């Protein structure tokens, strides 16, 4: 006789007895552990014969991925719980769109006309399937790539397809990326339509809707729900992009990308970006209509207008809400300037209501907490960088003055200190320099080199003497030489037996080496003792050490920067000969080849060294031309001209000095006019056998 299928163990036995006792106590009402609520036996029997059993929601709030629930005060809009389903793509449709995605990624079309025809056919196939594609895990990347190379009319049609669905699309894991791409791609077209003549704006029915109106309609669709959108993991990114577009900020600015894009953002693009529609430089400020400023005001009011100071301060340390607040604060300062800092309803005044955040006030405690918070410190950096001068001076006197040396010891607060240094006046910077110089040895030992780099750059900008920094370097790592330089650049610390690939992988994740290289380059940019320290250290290394520095991923930039110093001819005369015998090795290396390229300007005025480098490349022609970096070096050094017409190469290599060596007759040669040619021909015929005379003698006769 078969045994009953039971779970083993004493715990299961106790649980089964406990459930039986509970059933008896509740008079036949069974306790459902899976759903955590009671279900009657009669209900079970009645549902047994039903083909469709509805899902019981009960009184329990819906829980999102970040752990937040719909019954929280901030999530008051009932539309947030409505999830739309647009259907699924068939297997044939997915196969077609994936093939089209591969063609768009390669972008190997013969001309713009062929690409345009392909785009039209793809959009015809995607008609009425746009929402399905945007929500598809496998085809949403195809929609992003399609948006990036589409025409304005096609983008307007897509805007109309998305209209009424933006609230759900921006919250979707995959569709939100399509919304971001659509906003960024359409932003330059607003400027194009704004500056275009009125006669050119009118078109057919598809183009009658201005891109400006489409953006404004999108803002109106999202305006009532800005509060919880800024806290959503996916919608917050689309909201940031929309704020950037409306504010007119550069689309591809470094600061903009850091706030808008996540570090895990996948770069979906086409290979040949030159074929994309470009109306202006995306790194420059854009012209936007006045209605966008009104829309921005609505976004700010809808996002933080109804929140009090305590809630806003809680958002300042929220990892999702903080970047949105950074953009809103910066936009607020740019739009209203000094007046906004005095407005009681402004975001800045809600965060810091005290005019002078002195010690003991809530504003002082709030700023102190932001200073050492990994998330909140970024908001404090935004406040320091964009606050009006009067507000910044009050913050500096209350929070930072006299405390900079203590703050730079913290890994988080040191970044805020760098933003403070960028706004100090000459007098305050001199005081900060005297305060921070004793801390430079400790900063170097802990690889906190970005603070020193910022201090050096601000000294050059404010014309403050940075000699104390050089003295601190000598005290920290010693006099100029090979060992202090290796200690500063953190080279030679890896195992020599380690493979090249492993070393490259470690260097790619080692930010301290990159920061040290940037510090050394900032020191070379100074024309004082700081530059002398680096150049003397490089001059003191031997051939092998200099080659090792040239092949290092980060240290090579220091070598290149030193060779580009035009007023350091003595250093270049000492350094270049050390690299000449290793030219072929450097030229075939992906990193070292850049050093060989720099040797051309480094040997300006030193023709004998330039000729030796070319001779070394020519002697190793086969190995140089067999590698991709070597072929680029061969082209940059004009080695084909060196082999075929060496005199012409010499003329180019000597540069402006060749004019002093050429004869005066050859320098004055120019194209003759028709009358001059006729006179010369007549004179030559008249002179007969004396045709060999110079042109000047003939014209004189």
């Amino acid at each position: 006789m078969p045994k009953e299928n039971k779970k083993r163990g004493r715990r299961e036995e106790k649980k089964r007895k406990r459930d039986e006792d509970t059933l008896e106590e509740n008079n036949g009402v069974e306790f459902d552990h899976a759903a955590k609520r009671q279900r009657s036996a009669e209900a079970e029997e009645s549902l047994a014969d039903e083909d469709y059993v509805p899902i019981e929601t009960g009184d329990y709030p819906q829980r999102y991925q970040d752990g937040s629930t719909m019954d929280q005060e901030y999530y008051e809009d009932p539309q947030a719980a409505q999830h739309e389903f647009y259907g699924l793509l068939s297997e044939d449709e997915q196969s077609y769109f994936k093939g089209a995605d591969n063609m768009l990624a390669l972008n190997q079309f013969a001309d713009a006309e062929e690409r345009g025809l392909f785009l039209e056919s793809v959009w015809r196939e995607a008609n009425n399937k746009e929402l399905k594609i945007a929500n598809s895990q496998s085809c949403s990347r195809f929609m992003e790539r399609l948006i990036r190379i589409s025409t304005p009319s096609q983008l307007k049609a897509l805007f109309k397809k998305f209209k009424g669905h933006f609230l759900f699309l921006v919250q979707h894991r995959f569709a939100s990326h399509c919304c971001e791409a659509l906003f960024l791609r359409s932003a330059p077209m607003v400027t194009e339509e704004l500056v275009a003549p009125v006669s050119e704006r009118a078109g057919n029915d598809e183009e009658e809707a201005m891109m400006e109106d489409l953006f404004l309609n999108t803002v109106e669709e999202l305006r009532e729900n800005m509060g919880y959108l800024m806290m959503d993991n996916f919608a917050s990114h689309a909201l940031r992009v929309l704020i950037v577009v409306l504010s007119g900020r550069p689309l591809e600015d470094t600061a903009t990308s850091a706030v808008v894009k996540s570090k895990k953002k996948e770069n979906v693009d086409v290979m040949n970006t030159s074929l994309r529609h470009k109306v202006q430089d995306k790194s420059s400020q854009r012209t936007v209509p006045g209605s966008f400023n009104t829309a921005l005001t609505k976004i700010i009011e809808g996002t933080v207008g109804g929140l009090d100071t305590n809630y806003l301060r809680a958002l300042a340390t929220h990892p999702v809400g903080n970047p949105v607040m950074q953009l809103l604060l910066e936009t607020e300062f740019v739009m209203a300037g000094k007046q906004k800092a005095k407005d009681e309803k402004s975001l800045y005044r809600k965060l810091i209501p005290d005019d002078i955040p002195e010690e003991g006030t809530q504003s002082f405690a709030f700023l102190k907490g932001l200073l050492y918070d990994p998330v909140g410190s970024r908001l404090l950096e935004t406040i320091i960088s964009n606050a009006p001068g009067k507000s910044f001076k009050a913050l500096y006197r209350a929070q930072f003055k006299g405390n900079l040396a203590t703050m730079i010891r913290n890994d988080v607060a040191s970044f805020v200190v760098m933003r403070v240094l960028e706004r100090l006046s000459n007098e305050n910077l001199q005081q900060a320099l005297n305060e921070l110089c004793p801390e430079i040895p400790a900063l170097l030992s802990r690889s906190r080199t970005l603070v020193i780099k910022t201090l050096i750059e601000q000294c050059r900008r404010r014309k403050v003497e940075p000699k104390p920094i050089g003295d601190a370097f000598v005290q920290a790592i010693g006099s100029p030489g090979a060992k202090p330089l290796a200690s500063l650049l953190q080279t030679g610390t890896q195992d020599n037996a380690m493979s090249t690939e492993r070393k490259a992988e470690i260097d790619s994740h080692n930010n301290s080496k990159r920061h040290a290289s940037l510090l050394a380059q900032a020191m070379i940019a100074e024309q004082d003792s700081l530059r002398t320290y680096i150049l003397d250290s490089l001059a003191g290394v031997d051939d092998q050490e200099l080659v090792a520095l040239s092949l290092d991923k980060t240290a090579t930039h220091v070598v290149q920067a030193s060779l580009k110093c035009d007023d350091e001819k003595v250093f270049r005369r000492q350094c270049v000969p050390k690299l000449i015998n290793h030219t072929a090795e450097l030229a075939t290396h992906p990193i070292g080849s850049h050093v060989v390229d720099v040797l051309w300007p480094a040997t300006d005025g030193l023709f004998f060294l330039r000729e030796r480098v070319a001779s070394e490349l020519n002697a190793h022609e086969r190995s140089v031309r067999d590698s991709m970096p070597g072929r680029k070096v061969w082209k940059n050094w004009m080695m084909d001209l060196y082999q075929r017409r060496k005199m012409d190469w010499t003329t180019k290599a000597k540069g402006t000095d060749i004019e002093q060596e050429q004869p005066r007759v050859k320098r004055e040669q120019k194209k003759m006019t028709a009358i001059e040619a006729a006179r010369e021909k007549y004179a030559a015929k008249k002179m007969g056998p004396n045709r060999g005379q110079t042109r000047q003698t003939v014209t004189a006769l």
Side-chain angles (χ1 to χ4, degrees):
M1 182 175 182
K3 295 183 179 181
E4 182 182 359
N5 186 15
K6 295 182 179 180
K7 291 185 178 180
R8 299 172 60 186
R10 290 174 295 175
R11 294 181 181 178
E12 292 296 332
E13 183 68 24
K14 292 180 180 179
K15 181 179 178 182
R16 184 164 53 253
K17 290 182 179 180
R18 185 170 60 250
D19 292 345
E20 292 175 356
D21 296 339
T22 305
L23 182 62
E24 294 177 359
E25 293 176 1
N26 295 335
N27 298 324
V29 178
E30 180 184 356
F31 187 80
D32 190 352
H33 292 277
K36 298 297 182 183
R37 64 170 156 268
Q38 294 180 350
R39 179 179 295 172
S40 62
E42 291 83 359
E44 291 286 348
E45 295 176 359
S46 62
L47 293 176
D49 299 331
E50 295 289 341
D51 295 332
Y52 167 74
V53 180
I55 299 176
E56 299 182 19
T57 57
D59 298 329
Y60 297 92
Q62 181 177 356
R63 184 168 295 276
Y64 285 91
Q65 295 178 356
D66 58 353
S68 58
T69 57
M70 289 297 300
D71 62 339
Q72 295 180 6
E73 179 184 356
Y74 202 69
Y75 294 85
E76 297 178 352
D77 198 303
Q79 295 182 6
Q82 298 178 3
H83 295 279
E84 303 179 18
F85 179 68
Y86 305 106
L88 300 174
L89 295 171
S90 64
E91 294 184 1
D92 294 338
E93 291 172 341
Q94 290 188 32
S95 177
Y96 172 80
F97 290 131
K98 286 181 181 179
D101 185 31
N102 294 332
M103 294 188 66
L104 290 177
L106 296 175
N107 203 9
Q108 296 178 346
F109 300 101
D111 50 21
E113 182 179 0
E114 181 180 348
R115 187 178 65 258
L117 294 175
F118 178 76
L119 287 177
E120 290 179 1
S121 63
V122 171
W123 278 112
R124 281 195 302 269
E125 183 66 27
N127 188 28
N128 297 326
K129 304 184 186 71
E130 293 87 353
L131 296 174
K132 294 182 182 180
I133 298 173
N135 286 268
S136 173
Q137 180 179 4
S138 59
C139 297
S140 59
R141 293 182 182 85
F142 158 72
M143 177 62 74
E144 285 188 69
R145 194 169 281 116
L146 184 63
I147 288 172
R148 293 181 184 276
I149 59 175
S150 295
T151 61
S153 59
Q154 293 167 346
L155 295 177
K156 291 179 181 179
L158 185 61
F159 254 110
K160 295 177 181 178
K161 295 289 185 179
F162 282 0
K163 184 178 179 180
H165 305 279
F166 274 111
L167 180 58
F168 172 72
L169 293 177
V170 295
Q171 298 177 77
H172 194 270
R173 179 180 179 183
F174 308 116
S176 60
H177 296 283
C178 299
C179 293
E180 293 177 38
L182 180 61
F183 295 156
L184 288 173
R185 179 68 180 85
S186 304
M189 300 175 188
V190 177
T191 305
E192 184 182 42
E193 292 180 349
L194 191 64
V195 301
V198 180
S199 58
E200 296 181 4
R201 298 181 187 177
N204 52 35
D205 296 339
E206 191 178 22
E207 296 179 345
E208 282 183 359
M210 301 285 290
M211 194 66 75
E212 172 188 353
D213 298 332
L214 296 175
F215 271 108
L216 295 177
N217 293 336
T218 305
V219 173
E220 286 296 325
E221 185 177 342
L222 302 176
R223 183 169 62 89
E224 299 296 332
N225 308 286
M226 291 293 181
Y228 70 85
L229 289 181
M230 70 176 294
M231 303 288 289
D232 186 84
N233 289 334
F234 304 115
S236 61
H237 289 85
L239 184 58
R240 297 175 213 171
V241 173
L242 191 59
I243 294 173
V244 169
V245 171
L246 296 176
S247 63
R249 292 182 55 171
L251 299 178
E252 294 185 356
D253 185 51
T254 304
T256 302
S257 301
V259 178
V260 172
K261 295 182 180 180
S262 171
K263 292 182 179 180
K264 299 180 181 179
K265 171 70 175 177
E266 181 182 353
N267 185 23
V268 179
D269 209 340
V270 293
M271 290 185 62
N272 190 0
T273 56
S274 63
L275 296 177
R276 289 184 297 172
H277 179 74
K278 291 184 179 181
V279 294
Q280 62 180 27
D281 185 10
K282 290 188 177 182
S283 61
S284 60
Q285 195 76 13
R286 294 176 294 107
T287 304
V288 295
S291 58
F292 277 16
N293 294 332
T294 306
L296 268 176
T297 305
K298 292 181 180 179
I299 290 179
I300 295 176
E301 292 176 354
T303 305
V304 297
L307 303 178
D308 58 3
T309 299
N310 294 332
Y311 204 97
L312 285 175
R313 289 178 176 178
L315 288 178
T317 57
H318 194 279
V320 179
N322 179 276
V324 181
M325 291 192 66
Q326 292 183 49
L327 279 175
L328 293 178
L329 262 177
E330 186 173 351
T331 303
E332 189 177 75
F333 283 131
V334 172
M335 290 176 58
K338 300 179 180 179
Q339 301 300 325
K340 205 63 178 178
K342 302 177 182 178
D343 188 3
E344 297 295 334
K345 296 182 180 180
S346 65
L347 178 58
Y348 174 75
R349 293 295 290 181
K350 284 188 175 183
L351 287 171
I352 309 175
D354 300 313
D355 294 331
I356 302 177
E358 297 178 347
E359 188 173 359
T361 61
Q362 292 184 356
S363 298
F364 182 87
F366 169 65
L367 293 173
K368 193 84 171 180
L370 289 183
L371 181 63
Y372 296 101
D373 188 85
V375 178
S377 61
R378 297 179 181 273
L379 182 65
L380 185 55
E381 290 182 44
T382 303
I383 294 175
I384 292 173
S385 301
N386 298 279
K390 186 176 180 180
S391 301
F392 169 74
K393 291 177 182 177
L395 290 175
Y396 176 70
R397 287 193 298 266
Q399 195 81 32
F400 299 99
K401 191 173 184 179
N403 300 320
L404 296 178
T406 305
M407 293 176 179
I408 61 174
R409 298 169 189 166
N410 185 269
D411 295 343
V412 177
S414 58
F415 289 95
V416 181
V417 173
M418 288 189 285
R419 302 288 83 79
V420 173
L421 293 174
E422 292 174 354
R423 295 204 61 179
L424 292 181
S425 60
N426 291 19
E427 181 181 355
N428 290 330
L429 183 62
Q430 184 65 54
Q431 296 175 0
L433 179 63
N434 298 332
E435 182 182 355
L436 295 178
C437 279
E439 302 294 330
I440 287 181
L443 292 175
L444 290 175
S445 63
R446 298 178 57 191
S447 301
R448 306 293 307 173
T449 53
L450 280 183
V451 180
I452 309 174
K453 169 181 172 291
T454 304
L455 187 60
I456 293 173
E457 292 175 345
Q458 294 310 307
C459 288
R460 180 173 71 249
R461 178 185 173 191
R462 298 292 184 182
K463 298 182 180 179
V464 176
E465 177 59 40
K467 188 176 182 299
I469 302 178
D471 298 338
F473 264 90
V474 175
Q475 179 185 354
I477 58 179
S479 302
K483 290 185 178 180
L485 183 64
S487 175
L488 175 62
L489 299 179
Q490 302 179 21
T491 57
T493 58
Q494 297 175 348
D495 187 5
N496 294 329
M498 190 182 301
S499 63
T500 306
E501 293 77 9
R502 179 57 179 166
K503 290 181 180 180
E505 182 182 356
I506 294 177
D507 290 343
S508 62
H509 298 287
N510 190 357
N511 290 329
S512 60
K513 285 192 64 176
R514 188 182 301 110
H515 296 165
S517 175
L518 293 174
L519 171 61
Q521 295 175 58
M523 295 173 67
I524 293 174
E526 293 286 340
Q527 297 183 356
D528 49 22
S529 58
L530 296 177
R531 173 190 283 186
T532 304
Y533 187 92
I534 298 297
L535 296 186
D536 290 349
S537 299
L538 285 172
V541 302
D542 56 20
D543 299 7
Q544 298 297 331
E545 292 175 340
L546 187 59
V547 171
L549 291 175
S550 301
L551 297 178
D552 189 83
K553 187 176 182 179
T554 56
T556 183
H557 297 284
V558 180
V559 178
Q560 296 174 36
S562 63
L563 292 174
K564 292 179 181 178
C565 297
D566 296 334
D567 52 347
E568 299 292 343
K569 193 172 184 177
V570 176
F571 167 77
R572 291 187 282 122
R573 189 187 290 268
Q574 295 174 349
C575 189
V576 173
K578 297 179 181 180
L579 297 172
I580 290 180
N581 294 333
H582 306 275
T583 302
E585 176 187 356
L586 294 172
T588 56
H589 196 275
I591 298 174
S593 59
H594 297 285
V595 178
V596 182
D597 290 336
V598 174
L599 288 180
W600 179 271
T603 54
D604 187 21
L606 303 172
F607 173 71
F608 68 99
L609 292 178
R610 184 174 288 182
E611 191 174 24
R612 286 181 59 188
V613 174
S615 177
E616 187 73 14
L617 290 174
N618 187 50
H620 299 83
E621 177 184 2
R622 180 176 293 278
S623 61
V624 171
R625 302 190 73 166
D626 283 346
S627 65
M628 178 61 70
R631 286 195 289 270
K632 294 181 180 179
V633 171
W634 189 270
K635 179 181 178 181
N636 294 336
W637 273 80
M638 300 177 290
M639 292 305 299
D640 289 331
L641 185 65
Y642 176 87
Q643 290 181 335
R644 299 171 184 174
R645 299 193 301 274
K646 191 173 181 179
M647 289 301 298
D648 294 345
W649 183 91
T650 303
T651 301
K652 291 181 177 294
K654 289 185 176 180
T656 56
D657 297 337
I658 193 64
E659 294 185 0
Q660 301 175 1
E661 301 175 4
Q662 288 179 334
R664 181 173 179 270
V665 176
K666 195 170 185 178
R667 289 204 315 268
E668 293 182 354
Q669 268 189 342
K670 60 180 182 179
K671 186 177 180 180
M672 294 182 294
T673 62
I675 187 65
E676 289 176 347
R679 287 174 180 173
E680 185 173 357
K681 184 177 180 181
Y682 175 78
K685 183 184 295 185
K686 187 175 181 180
M687 294 298 297
N690 298 326
R691 295 181 184 180
Q693 294 182 350
T694 61
R695 178 184 170 189
Q696 287 76 8
T697 307
V698 173
T699 54
L701 292 175

